[in-house]
Amino acid sequence: MKKNIPGILFLLAMPCSVLLYIKVEALSGSEVLGLISAVALYFVVAIVIALVFNKKEL
């Protein structure tokens, strides 16, 4: 199960990034800013996965 969690987190990041894009674009009026925020969400998810799941087990 622990092997599946990173994939599940990336799958959950997809609809969240769409919602983030819509919210940021509506609030700021800039499509580019919405796109940057949506892509930044993927980077944050990837960094969190790398930090949490790449620990060596003793």
Side-chain angles (χ1 to χ4, degrees), residues 27-47:
L27 291 173
S28 68
S30 172
E31 292 179 3
V32 174
L33 191 59
L35 177 64
I36 291 170
S37 65
V39 171
L41 177 68
Y42 285 115
F43 281 116
V44 169
V45 169
I47 290 170

Side-chain angles (χ1 to χ4, degrees), residues 5-51:
I5 294 175
I8 292 170
L9 289 176
F10 269 118
L11 287 174
L12 291 175
M14 287 181 200
C16 292
S17 70
V18 172
L19 291 174
L20 182 66
Y21 170 79
I22 291 170
K23 290 287 186 181
V24 170
E25 193 272 330
L27 291 173
S28 68
S30 172
E31 292 179 3
V32 174
L33 191 59
L35 177 64
I36 291 170
S37 65
V39 171
L41 177 68
Y42 285 115
F43 281 116
V44 169
V45 169
I47 290 170
V48 168
I49 288 172
L51 291 174

